[in-house]
Amino acid sequence: MWVKTNRMRNAQKTGQDPVELFSYLTCASSSAKMLPEGYTKHILKTIILGQMLSLFICGTAVTSQYLAEKYQVNTPMFQSFINYSLLLLVYTTMLAFRTGSDSLWQILKQRWWKYVFLGLADVEANYMIVKAYQYTTLTSVQLLDCFGIPVLMALSWFILRARYRLIHFLAVAVCLLGVGTMVGADILAGRQDSEGSDVVIGDVLVLLGASLYAISNVSEEYIVKNLSRVEFLGMVGLFGTIISGLQLAIVEHREIMRIQWNWKIALLFTVFALCMFGLYSFMPVVIKVTSATSVNLGILTADLYSLFFGLFLFSYKFSGLYILSFVIIMVGFILYCSTPTRTAEPTTLPQPGTTGLDNAALKLEENDSETPAITVQFTRGEIVVVSTD
């Protein structure tokens, strides 16, 4: 009640409409009362969305491995080119039909060079991770790929001004422990047959790829939260198609010519393209309601889903550690989502329609301590006396 009264007084001082402010305060008070139940639903929604992304990644991994093992087809850049081409056909075309400041021409005119770097980072991240398997072991790729998470958190800290609490760092540590458990299960199951031709080159490729993924994900979060999802996908589709097409012509034209095409290979390429297109289309939606860091923690389970499919398709050996690693990763993911991060940027007073679960009542109390209270007294002679506490 004190907060509301003080805010009403401040509104009279600044000329702000007291009716609008009272409406906002009522909405914020209601949101604060509903926070536990609403945030529980938010956590559940985040878990479900994260696992849907993991299944998309699982689909791309299984189809790629099936092409490599059954048909000796290793064309990661060609597969990426198909995905970027689909993004180009769908989302860049949508931008082309827009008018005004959101049109394709205006976007290219204002910030084309930024999307060139973003497209380059995204294309090369995909290529480096896949290429690393030729030089190093599966264990190295799985472990070093997690390097992208601390890089992502650091970039989010400086670029997005995200501020983490101790529980977030503990949650990340728990998730990485789950990845370590999964790698241990792989070793016990005998999946580390290849030693790699040059471990150093492979490890460097993984680290570079993970870092580029982090850059791409942070850029994606900024764009979808400040600009639009269609702009991000349209620009990545446009420049990703150009860059991957040029690289494809240089490094993979011979592999493509050696493919013995049949309906099964065509079907596998189609399933891969649909899964990758679904991943790219759906990830901005998830990032917008959560964060890039949260998404990357959630998709750590993708390797486990691939392993479960591999039990039937590639005759993998089952280990109970796989279940344990899945549980550990999910515990860390839930722990991370249980406490929202905050932004260091000063925020203005939000409108009633945009009030969310960002502890609006706490923000009001913080702002309240910075603004002096105004007391207005009316005497019999209609003289207004104004005093500041």
Side-chain angles (χ1 to χ4, degrees), residues 186-226:
D186 286 341
I187 296 175
L188 293 177
R191 294 188 62 222
Q192 306 299 318
D193 296 331
S194 174
E195 293 298 328
S197 58
D198 197 322
V199 175
V200 175
I201 293 178
D203 291 349
V204 170
L205 287 174
V206 176
L207 293 175
L208 289 175
S211 300
L212 290 175
Y213 266 132
I215 294 173
S216 176
N217 288 159
V218 168
S219 303
E220 181 176 359
E221 181 175 352
Y222 178 84
I223 293 170
V224 300
K225 289 185 177 181
N226 294 279

Side-chain angles (χ1 to χ4, degrees), residues 330-344:
M330 290 305 300
V331 168
F333 181 48
I334 295 172
L335 190 64
Y336 184 91
C337 297
S338 64
T339 304
T341 58
R342 58 186 180 88
T343 304

Side-chain angles (χ1 to χ4, degrees), residues 4 12 31 53 61 68 75 92 98 100 110 117 141 155 169 223 232 247 263 270 312 324 353 356:
K4 292 184 181 180
Q12 292 175 359
S31 298
L53 293 178
T75 55
T92 310
R98 285 185 173 183
Q110 296 173 10
F117 285 108
V141 174
L155 292 175
F169 295 104
I223 293 170
F232 169 77
Q247 192 164 340
W263 70 270
T270 301
F312 305 97
L324 178 61

Side-chain angles (χ1 to χ4, degrees), residues 1-16:
M1 185 63 185
W2 167 251
V3 174
K4 292 184 181 180
T5 304
N6 202 32
R7 285 296 170 191
M8 292 296 290
R9 293 169 179 168
N10 292 336
Q12 292 175 359
K13 179 183 177 182
T14 59
Q16 189 174 0

Side-chain angles (χ1 to χ4, degrees), residues 80 84 118 121-130 145 148-149 151-152 155 206-220 276 279-280 283 292 296 299:
S80 295
Y84 291 123
L118 176 58
D122 198 75
V123 170
E124 297 308 323
N126 288 320
Y127 181 74
M128 287 182 180
I129 294 295
V130 176
D145 191 31
I149 294 177
V151 173
L152 180 59
L155 292 175
V206 176
L207 293 175
L208 289 175
S211 300
L212 290 175
Y213 266 132
I215 294 173
S216 176
N217 288 159
V218 168
S219 303
E220 181 176 359
M276 187 64 82
L279 174 66
Y280 270 72
M283 182 174 282
N296 276 265
I299 62 178

Side-chain angles (χ1 to χ4, degrees), residues 326-359:
F326 180 84
V327 172
I328 294 175
I329 292 175
M330 290 305 300
V331 168
F333 181 48
I334 295 172
L335 190 64
Y336 184 91
C337 297
S338 64
T339 304
T341 58
R342 58 186 180 88
T343 304
E345 292 179 338
T347 56
T348 57
L349 193 66
Q351 296 298 321
T354 60
T355 302
L357 301 176
D358 294 330
N359 295 331

Side-chain angles (χ1 to χ4, degrees), residues 69-116:
E69 292 192 4
K70 301 296 182 181
Y71 300 102
Q72 287 72 51
V73 175
N74 293 284
T75 55
M77 189 53 64
F78 178 56
Q79 292 166 240
S80 295
F81 175 77
I82 296 174
N83 170 58
Y84 291 123
S85 299
L86 290 176
L87 295 176
L88 172 69
L89 291 174
V90 176
Y91 296 104
T92 310
T93 303
M94 292 173 64
L95 289 177
F97 283 98
R98 285 185 173 183
T99 58
S101 60
D102 293 335
S103 65
L104 177 61
W105 171 248
Q106 290 297 326
I107 294 173
L108 290 175
K109 186 178 179 181
Q110 296 173 10
R111 43 187 178 271
W112 65 270
W113 61 273
K114 297 180 181 179
Y115 286 112
V116 170

